[in-house]
Amino acid sequence: MPNGQPAIRLDHISRHYTMGEAVIRAVDDVSLDLPSGEFLALLGSSGSGKSTLLNLIAGLDRPTSGAVIAHGQDLSTVSSLELARYRRQTVGMVFQSFNLLPRMTLEENVELPLRLAEVDRSDRAARVHEALERVGLGKRITHRPGELSGGEQQRAAIARALVNRPKILLADEPTGNLDSATGESILMLLKEIQKNPGMTIVMVTHERPLAERFADRLAVMGDGKLLSNGAAR
Amino acid sequence: MKPRDLSDLALRNLREAILRNSLTTLGIAVGVASLVAMLSLGVGLQQLASKRLSQSGLFDSVFVTPRVNLRGMGRAAMPPSSDQAPRLLDESARQEISRLPNVVEVYPQVRFFTEVRFDGKPFATMVAGMPASSKASGSFDGMQGSFFSGDAAYETILQSEFAKELNAQTSTLIGKDLVLRYAERQSIPPNPMDSKATSASNSESLPGGFSVVPKEMRLRIVGVVDTEPASGFGGYGNGRLLIPLQVAMTLRAAQVNDLRDIVRGTSSAPTFASLTVRAKGPAYVEALEASVKNMGFGAFSLLDASKSLATFFRVLDMLLGIFSSLALFVATLGIVNTLVMAILERRREIGVLKALGASDRDVKQLFFFEAGVMGLFGGIFGLFLGWLIGRALNFGTNFYLHRRDLPSVDISSVPWWLVLFSIGFAVLVSLVAGLYPASRAARLNPVEALRYE
Ligand SMILES: Nc1ncnc2c1ncn2[C@@H]1O[C@H](COP(=O)(O)OP(=O)(O)OP(=O)(O)O)[C@@H](O)[C@H]1O
Ligand SMILES: [Mg+2]
């Protein structure tokens, strides 16, 4: 499946936090190439820097040093406006706690990225329906997140991440709040999404068995460093 | 984000905390209401004062006298204050002045004491001639009956106090006739003319002597007026019996007590002791006064008094504005507080929006918009509230005046500029109040906002 230039290249990136005297190396000199179309699972103990690394790839945070190059664009040097555009156009994000806006219906939640990306109103409804249809929630569009099960909420969040057709999907413990059966169905959905041409997925998880079953590659972090990086299975 | 999506989201956010946002908006409304009530009171009082003053004719008039009158006998050595030689204040001068720009009317002050008969009883009273322009001055607003039917009509309007002497039920007087008695000077050889003749001035040109003949003039009472329209500048006392100026001039020319005019006049034409020039408005008075002086007459006006009156009201407006702005200032603190609270509450939401690609500017605009909408609604509601307060003050004042049999007044006024100003000011102030919360929301770190709790 991997082909051509990497979708994501991490070039000696570090993210340090200074707390008074102490320096916390949340991410410490990590280099990694991720080819387009690959599904990477990021493993590691709690506090090892997985979320920090994912946020750097997402353009939500900037590295202390090093370069994050996504689809040819160096995120460490662009303006914050450009970074916002990158988040709108290139990446989609899924979180452990779903992060749907509770007072909006699923339809409105999924429409948000299209509003931010200034997609024409006339195109929006169809794209929202298509995205929700794809995650199996076509009949729940007028429901609010509180009326849905955890698995359904995570599906809605995935629909929201995908609605603006990103090239990279980033998921931070998407199954962390779900039982194992539901978690498995979410991973099957991600695997399905990976079939989109050129869709690169990075997923943070604690569950090694699931990662081994569904991901193409496993990267293990420890203490901010990349401990291992290799093909799954 | 496009403006429509921005407003969608902002209005949605406002609705979600409807109680808190309504209370904040109400706070702005109260601030705007006090501003509007105070300023409308200031404007209303000013309008009232300037209306009353313009009715009195004090501030839009220039008073003209011949310069010879101003120069005392012993002051002949004084250099002329103008390059123009002193001139006689006669009819040709009157016409020349009336051709100056922005002049409404030029008329002499005609008042004289005489006797009238009504119902067979004699009454002594002061007669005043009213120029045609006095009809529009507002002095006759609210009168009983009507204004003179013509410039030379044999009609009279009675000042209500005099009218009460004739008959306590003043309204019954209208339509009745009274007789004005006066003495007419007749030249020798006598001119066999009707007493109502208007050619009295012609007879004056005859150099011979004259005799005095008692005459009567029948006048129809057409109105009764409460105000004192003749109480203008001059200090002659008030006219109680008002007649058209042209009629009054005819009568006066015939009066014996005008002897001095004839004696003094170097030419045969009559001259005026003084003329009143009524300008289109107080703004034209200054220029008019200068032009009249240039023509070689003495002229003065109460311009300085009206200027200081305008200054007084400007200061009054400012003070009222400052005090009511305090209320609005407190309201802006309410906006700041509400929006800062909203940031705390919507931390996660802001984080999500940023993760989905919202720029700092999008977030800032969202909060800004919410502040602006609260300001707009607060402004509109406050304007309405302020107008109501003004109406209530007006009602209370007039209730009080009415109980004391005083004419009603309009003490509060909301002109269109106040409408625009108050709403605009409310929005502006709200936007300023939104500056800090909006930029704080925009700076919110999405990673921290999204950290799982
Ligand atoms: N804003 C911050 N200030 C200081 N230290 C931070 C900050 N954010 C993260 N850290 C530290 O950086 C390290 C990595 O955090 P991170 O959230 O990336 O871990 P993680 O691998 O995602 O852990 P988990 O599996 O528990 O989610 C931790 O030691 C954390 O305390
Ligand atoms: Mg984490």
Side-chain angles (χ1 to χ4, degrees):
Chain A
M1 234 176 277
N3 57 354
Q5 63 146 186
I8 302 163
R9 155 167 286 171
L10 305 180
D11 189 9
H12 297 285
I13 59 164
S14 298
R15 179 66 169 99
H16 296 174
Y17 294 102
T18 29
M19 309 284 284
E21 296 281 285
V23 175
I24 297 160
R25 298 167 198 274
V27 172
D28 193 12
D29 194 27
V30 171
S31 293
L32 175 76
D33 272 10
L34 191 61
S36 177
E38 255 201 12
F39 188 158
L40 170 79
L42 206 52
L43 292 155
S45 57
S46 186
S48 58
K50 307 182 293 295
S51 295
T52 306
L53 186 67
L54 199 75
N55 288 333
L56 288 170
I57 299 171
L60 279 173
D61 197 4
R62 287 177 191 266
T64 312
S65 63
V68 180
I69 296 152
H71 287 270
Q73 195 176 16
D74 185 351
L75 302 184
S76 48
T77 59
V78 300
S79 70
S80 69
L81 214 61
E82 277 298 314
L83 214 52
R85 187 217 290 283
Y86 164 78
R87 293 197 300 268
R88 280 201 296 276
Q89 308 290 3
T90 313
V91 292
M93 282 200 89
V94 177
F95 306 90
Q96 177 174 0
S97 51
F98 322 133
N99 279 336
L100 296 167
L101 301 189
R103 290 190 188 85
M104 290 187 173
T105 63
L106 292 196
E107 190 177 24
E108 289 162 339
N109 264 290
V110 175
E111 194 193 359
L112 267 179
L114 301 181
R115 281 189 198 257
L116 292 169
E118 303 195 349
V119 172
D120 272 350
R121 258 162 197 274
S122 49
D123 298 340
R124 289 187 200 166
R127 282 173 70 168
V128 168
H129 288 203
E130 185 199 307
L132 280 166
E133 207 71 66
R134 186 153 175 208
V135 299
L137 291 172
K139 298 204 163 52
R140 313 290 302 267
I141 57 169
T142 58
H143 287 239
R144 275 165 220 278
E147 297 159 3
L148 267 58
S149 73
E152 285 164 339
Q153 285 188 54
Q154 196 58 296
R155 285 168 183 274
I158 291 170
R160 185 177 67 183
L162 293 178
V163 72
N164 204 28
R165 298 167 188 160
K167 298 191 188 76
I168 301 168
L169 183 65
L170 303 175
D172 195 348
E173 302 191 36
T175 60
N177 280 6
L178 305 173
D179 63 61
S180 57
T182 315
E184 201 171 315
S185 74
I186 291 293
L187 275 169
M188 273 151 67
L189 179 61
L190 292 183
K191 196 75 191 157
E192 183 66 28
I193 288 161
Q194 196 200 353
K195 287 181 185 149
N196 284 8
M199 175 64 84
T200 311
I201 301 179
V202 180
M203 177 183 75
V204 172
T205 185
H206 276 120
E207 297 169 78
R208 197 175 185 103
L210 276 183
E212 282 173 345
R213 264 177 67 200
F214 290 99
D216 304 319
R217 198 173 354 178
L218 302 183
V220 182
M221 288 189 71
D223 238 354
K225 292 196 163 58
L226 193 60
L227 299 182
S228 71
N229 170 22
R233 284 156 292 195
Chain B
M1 244 190 308
K2 285 182 177 157
R4 190 168 155 198
D5 290 303
L6 197 69
S7 66
D8 266 9
L9 288 180
L11 291 177
R12 186 180 192 107
N13 287 333
L14 287 174
R15 274 201 306 275
E16 280 174 6
I18 187 82
L19 181 65
R20 188 177 57 206
N21 291 323
S22 303
L23 289 175
T24 307
T25 305
L26 194 66
I28 303 166
V30 169
V32 171
S34 71
L35 191 71
V36 168
M38 293 275 199
L39 286 184
S40 74
L41 201 65
V43 171
L45 286 176
Q46 185 167 12
Q47 279 179 2
L48 185 70
S50 48
K51 193 173 151 205
R52 281 289 150 94
L53 288 171
S54 70
Q55 279 177 4
S56 75
L58 286 178
F59 294 108
D60 53 7
S61 298
V62 177
F63 305 97
V64 185
T65 52
R67 184 162 292 152
V68 279
N69 279 3
L70 293 176
R71 292 232 176 108
M73 309 268 260
R75 293 159 64 195
M78 229 179 92
S81 60
S82 158
D83 37 357
Q84 290 274 313
R87 283 181 53 181
L88 283 179
L89 198 56
D90 55 11
E91 179 59 26
S92 80
R94 189 181 81 87
Q95 300 212 341
E96 199 177 323
I97 295 171
S98 65
R99 280 194 298 270
L100 289 172
N102 303 315
V103 169
V104 177
E105 202 178 11
V106 182
Y107 56 89
Q109 300 252 0
V110 182
R111 281 160 219 258
F112 52 88
F113 207 72
T114 193
E115 185 190 286
V116 296
R117 286 192 157 266
F118 181 76
D119 246 356
K121 280 173 283 196
F123 299 89
T125 193
M126 179 67 88
V127 175
M130 299 306 296
S133 67
S134 63
K135 181 186 185 182
S137 71
S139 310
F140 291 97
D141 293 354
M143 69 182 288
Q144 292 175 31
S146 58
F147 196 72
F148 308 121
S149 60
D151 287 351
Y154 291 102
E155 292 171 348
T156 179
I157 295 171
L158 306 180
Q159 212 283 324
S160 65
E161 263 144 56
F162 178 61
K164 279 178 195 148
E165 287 179 33
L166 302 187
N167 189 328
Q169 288 297 108
T170 55
S171 58
T172 63
L173 291 168
I174 293 168
K176 295 205 171 122
D177 286 359
L178 56 71
V179 175
L180 188 115
R181 293 160 64 93
Y182 65 103
E184 191 179 274
R185 184 179 60 219
Q186 283 196 349
S187 308
I188 299 168
N191 200 342
M193 279 179 93
D194 180 49
S195 67
K196 287 182 180 178
T198 54
S199 57
S201 57
N202 291 347
S203 63
E204 250 183 290
S205 59
L206 294 169
F210 51 82
S211 64
V212 172
V213 181
K215 287 276 182 177
E216 292 191 342
M217 180 185 277
R218 198 161 269 282
L219 294 170
R220 164 90 21 105
I221 302 170
V222 292
V224 175
V225 66
D226 283 334
T227 55
E228 303 202 345
S231 70
F233 181 78
Y236 298 109
N238 301 325
R240 296 290 184 226
L241 190 96
L242 313 173
I243 60 177
L245 184 68
Q246 228 164 293
V247 177
M249 280 168 77
T250 315
L251 288 178
R252 191 175 189 227
Q255 287 276 314
V256 185
N257 56 12
D258 253 9
L259 199 63
R260 57 195 163 92
D261 284 347
I262 304 161
V263 174
R264 190 183 57 209
T266 48
S267 74
S268 54
T271 62
F272 304 105
S274 73
L275 284 176
T276 303
V277 182
R278 185 152 253 177
K280 279 184 185 151
Y284 305 111
V285 164
E286 194 169 4
L288 212 52
E289 192 182 331
S291 327
V292 170
K293 274 183 178 155
N294 262 339
M295 286 167 68
F297 300 111
F300 65 105
S301 63
L302 292 185
L303 195 72
D304 287 346
S306 93
K307 268 184 186 159
S308 58
L309 189 81
T311 313
F312 167 76
F313 274 109
R314 215 162 289 140
V315 171
L316 180 73
D317 279 355
M318 212 175 71
L319 287 179
L320 290 174
I322 287 172
F323 280 117
S324 44
S325 295
L326 283 179
L328 204 56
F329 176 72
V330 173
T332 61
L333 293 183
I335 296 191
V336 176
N337 180 55
T338 298
L339 290 179
V340 170
M341 287 284 291
I343 295 173
L344 295 179
E345 255 171 42
R346 277 150 58 185
R347 244 178 101 77
R348 180 160 283 263
E349 181 187 321
I350 296 166
V352 170
L353 284 177
K354 284 195 163 182
L356 297 179
S359 63
D360 291 3
R361 212 179 92 217
D362 288 329
V363 176
K364 189 181 271 181
Q365 282 176 344
L366 194 61
F367 274 77
F368 227 49
F369 201 95
E370 289 173 32
V373 169
M374 286 196 273
L376 182 66
F377 285 173
I380 292 172
F381 187 54
L383 180 66
F384 175 70
L385 217 62
W387 176 80
L388 273 186
I389 295 171
R391 286 292 91 191
L393 285 176
N394 214 34
F395 180 80
T397 308
N398 281 325
F399 186 72
Y400 174 85
L401 290 176
H402 188 75
R403 294 234 324 238
R404 273 155 188 74
D405 282 331
L406 292 166
S408 62
V409 295
D410 215 351
I411 58 162
S412 121
S413 167
V414 182
W416 65 268
W417 66 260
L418 187 54
V419 172
L420 295 185
F421 168 78
S422 54
I423 295 177
F425 193 56
V427 172
L428 187 78
V429 155
S430 306
L431 289 180
V432 171
L435 272 176
Y436 168 70
S439 70
R440 206 179 123 168
R443 282 199 316 265
L444 197 72
N445 182 346
V447 175
E448 276 168 27
L450 286 170
R451 186 165 293 136
Y452 182 66
E453 282 122 25

